[in-house]
Amino acid sequence: MKKIAFFDFDGTITDNDTFIEFAKFSVGKSAFYKAFFQSIPILCLWKLGLKSNSEAKQKLFSRLYRGMDYTKFQELCTKFRSLIDLQTRSEIIDAIMQHKSSGDQVVIVSASIGDWIRPWAAVNGIDNVIATEAEIDQSNRLTGRFATKNCHGKEKAIRIQHQFPKIADYETWGYGDSSGDNEMLSLVNHPKRV
């Protein structure tokens, strides 16, 4: 039987939210805090349940990256890889390595933007990342919008089932730390709350 282990990224593989860390790294702390404070109204509405997680996240992403050259964005994502290493949780890295040594397929499933996860994943021998993707215009610039739905909550389960339509034929593990991982964990044979 084929085996797959699905890992959430932020708070599971890493010990914090990489969106915030990447933003500070890529645009600088002052630009990040300016965008963050400008986004406080929609962030408050999200916390009150009046706006979705996706709407709030996309608004902040847009304030930070709309109009940025995508090649520059990718270069920043690649440079950020070494900073991710400083944020990883050793027990989860051990679990990933154990799955890999057993021949299991390892898949990262994250609400973060795939561009800054993939360079880290590639160095660690993980070639399958299911994530939120940034939209790029015809001039190769970020529009500030997402090209996919935010890969959070039920969207994680939808994306997994789309990529693995016969998931019931696999033996599966799932690792997650928050309520945004519940639907993913409900899909697998061996859910692990981190």
Side-chain angles (χ1 to χ4, degrees), residues 6 10 25 27 30 41 58 74 85-86 88-89 105 109 112 138 155 160 176 178-179 184 190:
F6 299 99
D10 297 302
F25 165 79
V27 301
S30 60
Q58 185 168 266
Q74 288 182 304
D85 285 330
L86 302 175
T88 57
R89 300 171 66 167
Q105 183 176 359
V109 187
S112 275
Q138 294 178 342
E155 184 63 19
I160 289 169
S178 72
S179 60
M184 175 180 78
H190 309 287

Side-chain angles (χ1 to χ4, degrees), residues 8 10 12 17 20 29 38 41 46 61 74 89 93-94 98 104 106 108 111 117 125 130 141 152 183 189-191:
D8 169 55
D10 297 302
T12 300
D17 187 330
I20 293 169
K29 288 183 180 179
Q38 289 174 335
W46 162 53
F61 184 82
Q74 288 182 304
R89 300 171 66 167
I93 299 302
D94 290 345
Q98 185 175 6
D104 305 345
V106 173
I108 294 173
I117 298 172
I130 299 171
R141 294 191 173 276
H152 177 267
E183 288 86 349
N189 308 119
H190 309 287

